[in-house]
């Protein structure tokens, strides 16, 4: 049985033919759309490396069936930088050395964008750490990650204020 | 993962009809089902997708003040609904203490109720497991079983139900709305999950093909809002299942407890309502003696099922902690680490530095 899914990924619509419904969003992004920025760590919801924004909310793409999300809007790490300018969260990760090997980083950054958008943590380090606890970092770069998320929260709030003014 | 047929019904009636065919399973977010399919524990031949059904994703306040939560409402959406969190703060706290932000954004109310045990032997298809394959035995009995049940278990299965959400729900008299080929019925959550007995493969009262369509909390449940907490002990600060947990709700007037609610998590194959303990608190002053007594009563029947005698005392302590925190009053804002002993304003010393 052949079926197709249409997904808008980083603002570009894609229609993908699936000959099998078992494909996860993670595998579709990596294997069919060659968007390998989203990482596969555990493939079981336990590490956060596969975090994407699905209709604006951060989720684990390894535990989402592609066919079930026909019509969805997806954002991945590849869609963040605009015309060579890094997203403020990307810039903050570099400024704060928020990684070592970098494997968890795309998931961390997508998760941080979700967290900042949810607006629950603000600049409270304890709330940021809790809000980012769905993303493991085997290199233990947590201190830099927390600092980067707090700085990005602040700079994005300032940018938003400037835009509103 | 086994091959399956994917079915996308357009109405609840279509979904229930589709699920009547043996080998069918409902797909909500899939955070538990797809995980189990990847490791070969679940092998449904047909997946009935609930994600495009109309009418299952609302949080409604009914006339009279009860709240009705559709089965497809996401865990995060419910926890962050301001009106819901204000009226049922222990439920919001339990939800936010579970899994991770990513999982809570996806996971649904129905899926949370129906999630399977985290017993490692259940998840290993090479092991004997009566719950996964009736009649094969139970490798957890002589194996690594420190996380297993201390209440309501049988020699056929010692697994626990892992949900946090269900613990305050059962304390607050939640009712599950079910739709099946035979029509609609309501079941109190307290009677929804089944203890293992001789048939651990039967995990709930749902008949094959029956669908959870909503969970209701009665208006009275909001009467505990001023004194309602969830406390959860984990093996790491966050993103971990409960070793033991407790939901407590108190109605206090003139320095006395008018009515108490207490339920425990991580101790049995179902969320464990402690009714005798609740009764012991009615009329008492909300103090350490009363809470200690209630905790003793709650765990009076507990028996270790293996290397887990420690959980009995731990469960008493988490019950006392939840009751003590509830008596102190629901905080205006949930602590940074919901339900955690390490949260700065959880009534414990500030251990925030521990998890830097
Ligand atoms: C790494 C990790 C950590 C976690 N930590 C926690 C935790 O700390 N606390 C906690 O409580 N949970 C935790 N969870 C479990 C999580 O809460 C569940 O996976 C989730 O709630 C399941 O919801 P779902 O919508 O994804 O269900 P699905 O995976 O889609 O379904 C689960 C089961 O329910 C059935 N089902 C779904 N909806 C219905 C319905 N409406 N009617 C009848 N049957 C239905 C499905 O057929 C399936 O058998 C964790 C999960 C993971 C992966
Ligand atoms: S405790 Fe229950 S779920 Fe675990 S192996 Fe034994 S029968 Fe299976
Ligand atoms: S790869 Fe998805 S959570 Fe680990
Ligand atoms: S930077 Fe290596 S895993 Fe996080």
């Amino acid at each position: 049985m052949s079926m197709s899914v249409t997904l808008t990924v980083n603002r570009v619509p894609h229609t993908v033919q699936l000959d099998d419904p078992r494909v996860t969003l993670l595998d579709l992004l990596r294997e069919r759309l060659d968007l390998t920025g989203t990482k596969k760590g555990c493939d079981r919801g336990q590490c956060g490396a596969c975090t994407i924004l699905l209709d604006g909310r951060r989720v684990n793409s390894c535990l989402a069936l592609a066919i079930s999300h026909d019509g969805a809007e997806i954002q991945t790490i590849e869609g963040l930088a605009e015309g060579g300018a890094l997203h403020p969260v990307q810039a903050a990760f570099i400024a704060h050395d928020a990684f070592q090997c970098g494997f968890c980083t795309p998931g961390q950054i997508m998760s941080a964008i979700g967290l900042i958008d949810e607006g629950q943590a603000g600049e409270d380090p304890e709330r940021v750490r809790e809000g980012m606890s769905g993303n493991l970092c085997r290199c233990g770069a947590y201190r830099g990650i927390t600092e980067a998320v707090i700085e990005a929260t602040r700079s994005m709030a300032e940018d938003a204020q400037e835009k509103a003014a | 993962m086994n091959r399956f047929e994917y079915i996308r019904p357009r109405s609840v009636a279509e979904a229930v009809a589709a699920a009547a065919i043996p080998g069918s399973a409902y797909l909500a977010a899939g955070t538990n089902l797809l995980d189990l399919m990847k490791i070969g524990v679940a092998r449904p031949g047909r997946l009935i997708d609930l994600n495009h059904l109309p009418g299952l994703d609302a949080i409604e306040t009914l006339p009279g003040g009860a709240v009705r939560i559709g089965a497809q409402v996401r865990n995060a959406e419910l926890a962050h609904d301001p009106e819901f969190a204000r009226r049922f703060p222990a439920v919001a706290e339990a939800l936010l203490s579970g899994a991770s932000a990513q999982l809570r954004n996806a996971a649904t109310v129905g899926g949370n109720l129906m999630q399977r045990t985290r017993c490692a032997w259940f998840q290993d298809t090479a092991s004997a497991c009566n719950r996964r394959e009736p009649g094969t035995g139970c490798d957890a009995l002589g194996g690594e079983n420190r996380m297993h049940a201390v209440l309501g278990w049988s020699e056929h299965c010692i697994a626990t139900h892992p949900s946090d959400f269900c613990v305050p729900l059962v304390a607050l008299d939640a009712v599950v709305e079910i739709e099946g080929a035979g029509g609609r019925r309501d079941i109190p959550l307290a009677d929804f999950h089944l203890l293992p007995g001789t048939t651990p493969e039967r995990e709930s009262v749902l008949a094959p093909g029956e669908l959870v369509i909503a969970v209701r909390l009665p208006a009275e449940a909001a009467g505990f809002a001023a004194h309602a907490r969830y406390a959860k002990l984990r093996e790491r600060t966050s993103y971990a299942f409960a070793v033991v947990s407790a939901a407590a709700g108190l109605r206090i007037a003139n320095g006395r407890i008018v009515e108490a609610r207490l339920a425990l998590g991580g101790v049995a194959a179902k969320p464990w309502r402690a009714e005798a303990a609740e009764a012991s608190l009615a009329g008492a002053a909300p103090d350490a003696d009363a809470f200690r007594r209630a905790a003793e009563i709650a765990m009076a029947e507990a028996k270790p099922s293996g290397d887990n005698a420690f959980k009995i005392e731990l469960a008493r302590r988490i019950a006392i902690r939840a009751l003590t925190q509830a008596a102190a009053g629901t905080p205006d804002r949930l602590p940074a680490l919901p339900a955690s002993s390490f949260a700065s304003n959880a009534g414990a010393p500030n251990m925030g530095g521990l998890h830097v």
Side-chain angles (χ1 to χ4, degrees):
Chain A
M1 181 175 66
S2 177
M3 49 213 119
S4 76
V5 271
T6 301
L7 297 167
T8 305
V9 182
N10 301 328
R11 296 179 288 279
V12 181
H14 295 270
T15 298
V16 181
Q17 293 298 321
L18 300 177
D19 53 7
D20 188 319
R22 290 179 290 189
V23 182
T24 60
L25 279 178
L26 176 60
D27 288 340
L28 184 136
L29 289 169
R30 292 180 56 86
E31 315 285 337
R32 301 295 298 271
L33 301 181
D34 286 335
L35 293 170
T36 53
T38 307
K39 300 301 178 201
K40 183 185 282 195
C42 64
D43 210 23
R44 296 190 60 193
Q46 298 176 358
C47 75
C50 64
T51 304
I52 58 166
L53 299 184
L54 175 61
D55 293 324
R57 297 184 306 180
R58 50 180 169 154
V59 300
N60 306 99
S61 60
C62 68
L63 290 183
L65 215 52
I67 186 84
S68 179
H69 294 282
D70 195 14
E73 191 137 339
I74 286 169
Q75 231 187 324
T76 70
I77 190 77
E78 288 91 345
L80 294 185
E82 284 188 47
L86 293 181
H87 186 283
V89 176
Q90 290 176 306
F93 266 64
I94 292 173
H96 289 273
D97 248 348
F99 43 79
Q100 198 177 105
C101 76
F103 187 84
C104 71
T105 312
Q108 300 279 1
I109 289 176
M110 296 316 291
S111 188
I113 293 172
L115 174 75
I116 293 168
D117 184 57
E118 288 156 20
Q120 305 285 336
E123 296 173 26
D124 174 349
E126 204 172 17
R127 286 182 195 272
V128 168
R129 280 195 295 268
E130 165 62 13
M132 292 295 292
S133 70
N135 294 82
L136 305 192
C137 174
R138 294 200 116 182
C139 300
Y142 294 111
R143 177 176 288 275
I145 292 168
T146 305
E147 287 168 5
V149 175
I150 292 171
E151 186 194 293
T153 305
R154 191 177 304 141
S155 72
M156 287 169 74
E158 283 165 9
D159 285 354
Q161 259 177 0
E162 267 168 40
K163 273 202 192 117
Chain B
M1 196 186 293
N2 62 292
R3 278 187 176 266
F4 56 84
E5 188 186 345
Y6 172 80
I7 294 152
R8 186 184 296 166
R10 267 177 239 112
S11 66
V12 166
E14 250 183 65
V16 170
I21 296 172
S24 302
Y26 291 118
L27 173 71
T31 62
N32 187 223
L33 182 58
L34 295 177
D35 187 14
L36 292 175
M37 288 171 70
K38 287 182 187 193
I39 57 175
V41 169
R43 305 181 55 82
R46 293 154 45 92
L47 283 193
I48 320 292
D49 191 350
L50 303 176
N51 291 290
H52 304 266
L53 291 182
L56 293 185
D57 52 7
I59 306 167
E60 308 161 75
T61 305
L62 305 176
V67 65
R68 182 174 186 274
I69 312 151
Q72 283 290 111
V73 171
R74 309 290 156 170
N75 287 189
E77 196 187 333
L78 183 61
H80 292 304
D81 182 273
E83 175 72 0
F84 181 84
R86 187 182 63 72
R87 296 183 70 208
F88 311 103
V91 182
E93 184 164 24
L95 281 168
L96 293 176
S97 77
S100 66
Q102 288 95 317
L103 287 159
R104 294 190 297 266
N105 276 341
T108 63
V109 163
N112 194 308
L113 261 58
M114 294 295 292
Q115 64 175 300
R116 317 288 303 275
T117 183
R118 307 304 287 198
C119 171
W121 312 96
F122 172 82
Q123 294 204 353
D124 171 22
T125 52
S127 298
C129 171
N130 288 324
R131 189 174 285 268
R132 175 167 36 73
E133 271 179 72
T136 54
C138 169
D139 275 349
L141 272 175
E144 166 68 45
N145 53 19
R146 53 191 299 283
M147 294 291 277
H148 285 70
V150 292
L151 282 164
W153 53 272
S154 75
E155 66 276 24
H156 300 280
C157 177
I158 60 173
T160 58
H161 192 264
S163 166
D164 292 300
F165 179 45
C166 288
V167 181
L169 282 184
V170 81
L172 294 172
D173 281 337
V175 172
V176 186
E177 288 183 26
I178 298 168
E179 177 120 352
R184 195 166 287 201
R185 61 184 180 128
D186 283 356
I187 296 279
L189 180 63
D191 303 329
F192 181 79
H193 297 99
L194 299 174
L195 291 176
T198 56
T199 53
E201 72 280 10
R202 285 210 62 211
E203 298 181 354
S204 78
V205 297
L206 280 195
E210 275 191 317
L211 177 69
V212 172
I213 57 169
V215 171
R216 278 198 323 267
L217 279 169
E220 300 78 65
F224 297 91
H227 296 280
R229 290 303 298 270
Y230 184 65
K232 170 179 177 182
L233 210 75
R234 289 158 265 198
E235 292 195 320
R236 62 182 181 195
T237 308
S238 180
Y239 199 10
F241 286 93
V243 180
V244 291
S245 69
L250 299 171
R251 284 202 296 121
I252 300 177
N254 306 319
R256 296 269 153 192
I257 298 169
V258 180
E259 192 184 357
R261 296 290 175 86
L262 182 66
L264 297 166
V267 294
K270 60 190 285 184
W272 193 268
R273 177 87 180 259
E275 274 170 323
E278 293 173 359
S280 80
L281 289 168
D287 60 22
D289 283 350
F291 296 156
R292 179 85 216 167
R293 202 166 55 240
E296 294 289 347
I297 296 171
M299 299 307 291
E301 315 268 288
K303 285 194 311 270
S305 59
D307 297 330
N308 57 3
F310 74 97
K311 281 181 79 169
I312 299 174
E313 177 57 16
L314 222 47
R316 288 191 197 104
R317 293 187 191 186
I318 205 76
I320 294 170
R321 182 181 284 271
L323 287 163
T324 307
Q325 292 180 347
T330 308
D332 290 338
R333 186 179 182 202
L334 278 183
L337 304 174
S340 171
S341 309
F342 297 112
S344 4
N345 58 340
N350 186 352
M351 315 263 275
L354 266 189
H355 52 90
V356 168

